[in-house]
Amino acid sequence: MQAFLANYIDTLGMGGLFGGLIIEALGFPFPGGVMIMFLGFLINQGRLNFYTVFLLAVVGFNIGAAAAFFAGRYMGDSVVHRYGKYLRINTAKWEKARSWIKQSAAMFIIIGRFVPMVSNLTPYMAGASGLKLSRFLLYNVIFTVIWVSFNISIGMLFGQQWPVIAGYLEDQVPLGALVLLLVYVAIKVLIKRFHTQRSEKI
C-alpha cells in the first residue's frame, strides 16, 4: 500500500489527494484515510506542508460529499436501485441508515462516517431525508476536520510505524464508532418509549 501511495502522490501530486477524497466522499472505494496518514508521514519529514494537505483534504472531501448529497436529494431511493452495487449498498442497509438518521442527523453524519458501509450511505441518505444543506455541511465539516486531523497526526507522530498503526486502527475505530452509534440510537428509542408510556398513563 505504501508503494502504491508513494507512486500515486509522485504522479498526481496534491491534485491526487484532492481528487481521491472527492471519490471517497462519493462513496466509491478509495484509501483516503490511509493516504492522509502517509501524507502526515511526509509532512513529518518536511516534504509537504501541513496546511496545504489539511485544506485540500477538507475541501475535497466536502465537495464530494455535497455532490452525493444533491444526488440523494434529487434521486431519492432510486440511488440504491441504480448505483447500489457500485456504492456497496443495498436496500436493507439503506433502510437501516434511514432509521438512524431519523434519530439524530448530527450523530449519524459525524459518528456514522467512521463506520464502513454507513459512511457510503451518509451523504445520499442525508439528501434524500430532506435535511437542509447547511446542516449537512456543518456536520460533515466537523467530521472531516476530526478525520483529517486524526489521520495526519498518526502519520506525523508514528513516522515509519504508521502502516502498523493504520492496520490496527482500520479494525478498531469503525468498531468503536459503530458501538457508540448503536448505543446512542438505543438510548433515544428507550427515552421515546418511556415518554410514550408515561403520556399514556396520564
Side-chain angles (χ1 to χ4, degrees):
M1 177 61 75
Q2 186 169 348
F4 164 77
L5 292 173
N7 183 63
Y8 180 85
I9 295 300
D10 285 343
T11 303
L12 300 177
M14 289 297 93
L17 167 66
F18 187 76
L21 290 188
I22 290 177
I23 292 171
E24 172 149 334
L26 285 167
F28 297 101
F30 188 84
V34 177
M35 180 172 64
I36 295 173
M37 289 185 194
F38 175 64
L39 295 179
F41 167 64
L42 297 182
I43 290 170
N44 188 47
Q45 291 189 323
R47 296 169 60 183
L48 293 175
N49 180 270
F50 170 85
Y51 297 104
T52 300
V53 172
F54 181 84
L55 183 62
L56 286 174
V58 170
V59 173
F61 194 87
N62 279 282
I63 287 176
F69 176 90
F70 283 115
R73 171 65 52 86
Y74 294 111
M75 296 179 66
D77 293 348
S78 64
V79 169
V80 181
H81 304 300
R82 293 184 183 182
Y83 306 109
K85 63 181 180 180
Y86 303 110
L87 299 171
R88 297 180 297 178
I89 59 177
N90 54 38
T91 303
K93 292 173 182 175
W94 181 261
E95 291 303 323
K96 182 178 290 187
R98 188 194 299 276
S99 67
W100 283 354
I101 202 169
K102 286 181 179 178
Q103 298 297 327
S104 174
M107 193 73 173
F108 178 78
I109 294 170
I110 298 173
I111 304 299
R113 274 292 204 179
F114 287 98
V115 181
M117 301 298 106
V118 175
S119 178
N120 294 358
L121 290 167
T122 301
Y124 297 98
M125 179 57 68
S129 71
L131 184 71
K132 289 183 178 180
L133 176 62
S134 57
R135 286 186 63 197
F136 170 72
L137 288 177
L138 172 63
Y139 301 145
N140 202 72
V141 167
I142 292 172
F143 160 76
T144 310
V145 168
I146 295 171
W147 180 66
V148 172
S149 299
F150 176 76
N151 286 318
I152 288 178
S153 298
I154 294 299
M156 292 179 67
L157 293 173
F158 292 95
Q160 294 283 359
Q161 297 301 313
W162 75 265
V164 177
I165 304 301
Y168 175 78
L169 294 176
E170 188 176 9
D171 296 326
Q172 301 303 317
V173 172
L175 178 61
L178 178 60
V179 170
L180 183 60
L181 190 61
L182 291 174
V183 169
Y184 179 82
V185 171
I187 291 173
K188 290 276 288 186
V189 170
L190 290 174
I191 291 174
K192 185 177 180 180
R193 286 183 179 176
F194 172 78
H195 286 301
T196 301
Q197 292 175 355
R198 186 176 180 181
S199 62
E200 289 176 351
K201 291 180 180 179
I202 295 174

